[in-house]
Amino acid sequence: MKNGLLAAALTLGLSWTAAAGAQTPLKLAYALSTSSHYGAGAKALAESLEKGGQYKVEAFPNSALGGEREVIEGLQLGTIDLAIVSTGATLNFVPKTGVFDIPFLFRDLNHARHVLDGKIGQDMLAEFPKRGIVALAWGEQGFRHLTNNVRPVVTPDDAKGLKIRTTENPIHIAAFRQMGILATPMAWPEVATALQQGTIDGQENPLSVIVSAKLPQLQKYLSLTAHVYGPALVLMSPATYDGLSDADKQLFKEAGVAAAQAMRVYVDDIEKSGVDAVKEQGMQVNTVDHAAFAKAVEPVYPQYYKQFGQELVDAIRQTQ
């Protein structure tokens, strides 16, 4: 009997040890390649969460779990644990995030980062739980630029009539249409095929995307319009987050910040090296009349004031 009890105790102990040592699996989704700024953020996020041995992150890049809208819905349903997405997608869930997508709102990267890291940005993160999403941190894509296959774009007039893919973001679309661009909302996984087939003339994205998505293979002209700053978000499912201890919640928040910082480091590097990289691949790159573009979208600003409040827009502009 003693031997039987000892054996049972050993078996129970081994089972408990195996359970205690088991890693909790986590699904992480994002739309771009592993070599992108999202990939850099995902790598930092996984490393931060896995260093204690409790969690194991399985990444699904290249929209493997669906477009960004589907991914956010997956977070709400609890079928996806973590995601890195653009505000083009969050606009449909937390409309206030659209304020950061107003064209020519931010002076430079430092201005944008100060806003997102300060009270305005942190208050915005607090809006997400109301829509069944946990927002861990603000990541980054950089400033968006225009590419196309028709002609160099230097002035707003040069852009008129071009059929340009945009995100499903009415803030962007309103500005493009004001400039006479034929804005064509399209999910990212469809863009490469549409460019190859000539369904669209071009697209607009930060250098981080233009380089990592190998757009020089599909586009002839890059115009450095810097028309919109592109934030990103590190999001989490409440189904995963709500059951955590306070200590583990803090661990995930710190991991989100690590992911955001990795994205910013990537963007800082690509802003310096990206132009040379696409030139080497045969892309024609030109600067633009930035003031003329900013003036061209001014008639849309009353719409933005009505949508988000002029006080908030002015507060962002005045942040030092």
Side-chain angles (χ1 to χ4, degrees):
M1 183 179 289
K2 285 182 179 179
N3 289 339
L5 288 172
L6 180 60
L10 285 171
T11 301
L12 181 63
L14 288 171
S15 298
W16 183 87
T17 301
Q23 292 178 313
T24 302
L26 300 168
K27 288 184 178 180
L28 165 61
Y30 56 99
L32 301 173
S33 72
T34 55
S35 62
S36 68
H37 53 298
Y38 282 4
K43 183 173 183 286
L45 184 66
E47 288 177 350
S48 183
L49 289 172
E50 291 176 349
K51 63 185 177 184
Q54 183 179 352
Y55 297 101
K56 181 63 179 176
V57 178
E58 183 179 7
F60 294 86
N62 296 310
S63 301
L65 298 183
E68 290 192 327
R69 183 192 292 245
E70 289 81 12
V71 164
I72 294 176
E73 289 170 349
L75 293 174
Q76 291 177 317
L77 293 170
T79 57
I80 297 172
D81 301 294
L82 296 156
I84 299 173
V85 303
S86 70
T87 47
T90 63
L91 185 63
N92 297 305
F93 300 87
V94 184
K96 288 182 180 180
T97 57
V99 71
F100 300 130
D101 285 283
I102 292 177
F104 305 104
L105 178 65
F106 294 105
R107 297 183 297 276
D108 50 35
L109 288 173
N110 283 335
H111 177 206
R113 292 168 183 176
H114 285 154
V115 170
L116 295 176
D117 292 344
K119 187 177 186 304
I120 294 172
Q122 298 308 299
D123 285 350
M124 198 72 75
L125 293 183
E127 294 292 319
F128 280 78
K130 301 174 185 177
R131 301 305 301 270
I133 311 161
V134 176
L136 298 176
W138 286 105
E140 183 169 82
Q141 302 191 73
F143 280 93
R144 303 178 79 88
H145 305 290
L146 183 70
T147 72
N148 83 95
N149 273 329
V150 179
R151 56 181 173 268
V153 173
V154 178
T155 69
D157 282 344
D158 296 330
K160 286 182 178 178
L162 292 178
K163 192 171 186 179
I164 302 296
R165 177 267 176 179
T166 69
T167 62
E168 297 175 35
N169 187 327
I171 292 102
H172 293 184
I173 292 167
F176 281 123
R177 288 178 176 167
Q178 178 64 38
M179 289 189 286
I181 290 173
L182 304 177
T184 307
M186 185 180 294
W188 178 248
E190 302 170 16
V191 173
T193 301
L195 289 171
Q196 289 170 332
Q197 295 177 347
T199 309
I200 51 176
D201 298 317
Q203 60 85 58
E204 48 85 43
N205 255 308
L207 277 167
S208 53
V209 177
I210 292 168
V211 172
S212 65
K214 300 180 181 178
L215 286 175
Q217 297 178 9
L218 301 171
Q219 296 274 264
K220 295 177 183 177
Y221 306 105
L222 166 62
S223 299
L224 300 175
T225 47
H227 50 275
V228 170
Y229 170 75
L233 281 149
V234 185
L235 303 180
M236 186 171 178
S237 171
T240 306
Y241 182 83
D242 290 345
L244 298 175
S245 66
D246 288 344
D248 275 2
K249 286 179 180 178
Q250 184 61 31
L251 172 67
F252 276 85
K253 288 177 181 177
E254 290 172 358
V257 171
Q261 183 57 31
M263 281 185 262
R264 289 179 178 182
V265 169
Y266 186 105
V267 168
D268 282 337
D269 176 68
I270 208 73
E271 289 290 329
K272 296 174 184 175
S273 64
V275 171
D276 288 339
V278 299
K279 282 182 177 178
E280 289 173 4
Q281 295 175 66
M283 216 171 193
Q284 181 178 321
V285 181
N286 58 273
T287 55
V288 303
D289 186 341
H290 199 260
F293 274 92
K295 186 176 181 181
V297 301
E298 279 181 6
V300 188
Y301 261 74
Q303 175 182 322
Y304 300 145
Y305 292 147
K306 183 177 180 181
Q307 188 171 357
F308 301 109
Q310 185 168 351
E311 184 178 349
L312 176 58
V313 176
D314 288 346
I316 292 171
R317 279 182 151 173
Q318 292 162 11
T319 297
Q320 298 298 318

